[in-house]
Structures are given as structure tokens and as C-alpha cells.
Amino acid sequence: MTALAPDPNIPHSMPNWAETEAAKRWVLDNLGRWHWFRPEDPGTRPVFHMLAEGLTPVAMGHANGVVTISVAEADPVVRTTRRQALDEPYRTMVGHMRHEIAHMLWWRLSLREDFLDAFREMFGDERADYPAALEHHYHNGPPEDWRLFYLTSYASAHPHEDWAETAAHLLHLTDITDSLVSSGLTSPEVPRQGWDPYAEPDTAMLINVAASLAIRVNHVNRSMGLSDLYPFVLSETAQRKLAFVHDWLRRGAQGL
């Protein structure tokens, strides 16, 4: 799916590309558990432009099925510098992939007649001026009460970003849970032996298990002086949005 590869003459571009490709494949495999981009999915596949940064940064984003990613962010110094500059609690290549591919998934779903009205009722009208919304966000910051309605401050910028952040977090939570269960770990919240988080239709149950496991791993990380695995709070509104995204991503690839 990678149509453009980084310039090999730019220092560190090849090892950065390798790490970026690994993140891409991890996220695509996650989505394949819900049939996205597998043989049974009749829709468009994403195309990736993997670009190294020379004298100017690469703007990551999605447009008409094309996902553009800066491989420079595979460098931990670059990524940490930008995370701190943007006051973000979490920034990884897997996170970038989940967010940008989520924009592509919205584009796919928006072709359905039954999606847009439901989306606008939950997230707001995405036809609002996007460049103006981002400019306002970067100049003025999020609303003071953003934590009551959004998973991240960036999600408050525009309905498109709210969707992408929510979809990325749904994948975070589902795959945290799946990885722990698949490795043989368990907790009282896990409903049964052999439980498959990707097959779970009940979003509330999935989120309850994921949040409980994330809190435990947060404490394990703190024992080593590391950052929390999942440093976010799930408000009631955010949980409703997660349920909306969960429903559409579980059935949308096959047009159900």
C-alpha cells in the first residue's frame, strides 16, 4: 500500500521508514480483525506516502484515500520534542497511523447514505470551516471544559479531528486489551477464558475491561519511572462517542 517511499539520501530515513512501516502493518492488522482492507472488504484501500523530512517538516494527513506520514517521527528525539511543544500526553508512530487511517475510514463511511446524519448528530457538522477551526484551536487553545466532551484537547478543534481521535482511542483500548489477553494475562473484569475483544459487540464491557487493565499497567509503568501507558480520562460523552465509532467500525467494512 506504500506508493511513495522516503528519499534514502536524507539521513536516517531508511531506519525511520522501517519503524514506520512496522507501525502501519500493526494498525492495518488491527483493523483487519473488523474486516477492513481484507479480501471480504469491497471498498477502497488506503495509499501511503511515507516521506522523510529535509529542511521543512512534513504535514501528516489524509486526502481522498491517501495517507501522508512523516517517517522522521520514528526518531524518539523528534517525536518527544513535538509532543512537548504541542502539550500532548501521548505521541507514537502507531498513534499517528491510527489517527490518520481513521480519517480515511471516515471518508469511506461518508459514502454511505446512513452515516453522515448519524455522525453529525454525535460529533457535529464536519462542513464547518476546517482551516479556520484549526487556526482558532492553535491560537486560542481548547475550551476550558473540553475534558467533559472530548478524549483529547485536539479532538475539540473540529468534528473531523474528534472522529479521528475517538477512532484511534477505540483502537488503543481494544488492542491493549487484546494484547494482554492474548499474552495469557487476566483480571477479574475479563468476562471469560478465550474472550476476543475484537469480537465483543458491547462497547461498555470492552471499555470497562480496557480501562481496568490500563490502570493496572499504568501502575506497573510507574514502578519503573515510566509514563502511563494510557494517560487519558474517559468522560461519559467520550464513551458515547467511542460506542458510536465501535459500532461503525465493526460493521462498516462490509456495508452491514
Side-chain angles (χ1 to χ4, degrees):
M1 295 179 180
T2 296
L4 285 181
D7 183 348
N9 295 313
I10 296 177
H12 311 298
S13 62
M14 292 298 100
N16 287 345
W17 181 27
E19 185 171 334
T20 304
E21 283 286 345
K24 180 194 79 174
R25 295 177 188 202
W26 185 281
V27 174
L28 291 175
D29 189 68
N30 293 163
L31 287 165
R33 302 279 291 276
W34 290 324
H35 306 288
W36 288 96
F37 316 130
R38 293 282 176 91
E40 64 270 23
D41 175 7
T44 303
R45 271 72 171 150
V47 171
F48 291 89
H49 290 178
M50 305 289 205
L51 305 180
E53 296 187 6
L55 298 177
T56 58
V58 170
M60 291 193 277
H62 163 264
N64 299 320
V66 177
V67 175
T68 301
I69 297 290
S70 169
V71 304
E73 291 232 3
D75 184 317
V77 175
V78 172
R79 190 170 61 247
T80 301
T81 299
R82 294 177 181 175
R83 179 177 61 80
Q84 292 175 342
L86 295 169
D87 194 25
E88 296 176 344
Y90 168 81
R91 191 178 181 95
T92 69
M93 292 311 298
V94 165
H96 284 314
M97 285 292 176
R98 285 175 175 157
H99 178 99
E100 300 304 342
I101 294 172
H103 283 301
M104 191 270 180
L105 296 174
W106 185 93
W107 177 69
R108 278 271 309 265
L109 290 167
S110 72
L111 302 176
R112 293 179 53 148
E113 293 182 358
D114 57 348
F115 175 74
L116 283 178
D117 286 343
F119 170 82
R120 289 166 184 162
E121 184 176 351
M122 178 63 66
F123 287 90
D125 193 338
E126 85 291 347
R127 293 168 293 188
D129 190 317
Y130 181 77
L134 289 190
E135 182 178 0
H136 180 273
H137 173 77
Y138 286 123
H139 279 86
N140 300 286
E144 291 186 2
D145 61 350
W146 67 265
R147 291 176 179 83
L148 298 176
F149 307 103
Y150 304 96
L151 279 161
T152 67
S153 61
Y154 186 53
S156 69
H158 189 274
H160 274 311
E161 299 307 335
D162 195 6
W163 162 272
E165 289 286 86
T166 303
H169 277 253
L170 177 66
L171 283 166
H172 296 338
L173 292 165
T174 307
D175 205 46
I176 286 171
T177 309
D178 182 68
S179 296
L180 284 163
V181 171
S182 297
S183 66
L185 298 176
T186 188
S187 77
E189 294 81 14
V190 175
R192 60 188 174 276
Q193 187 175 7
W195 177 63
D196 180 0
Y198 282 97
E200 177 55 59
D202 186 341
T203 311
M205 176 183 287
L206 175 63
I207 291 174
N208 178 62
V209 176
S212 299
L213 293 174
I215 289 171
R216 289 183 170 88
V217 179
N218 284 349
H219 285 294
V220 172
N221 280 13
R222 291 172 192 175
S223 74
M224 292 295 291
L226 300 174
S227 300
D228 285 356
L229 172 76
Y230 189 75
F232 302 96
V233 176
L234 303 175
S235 69
E236 182 179 339
T237 301
Q239 291 186 48
R240 289 200 300 271
K241 292 176 180 177
L242 285 165
F244 179 92
V245 174
H246 188 218
D247 176 56
W248 281 98
L249 291 192
R250 287 188 67 249
R251 61 192 179 91
Q254 296 178 291
L256 301 178

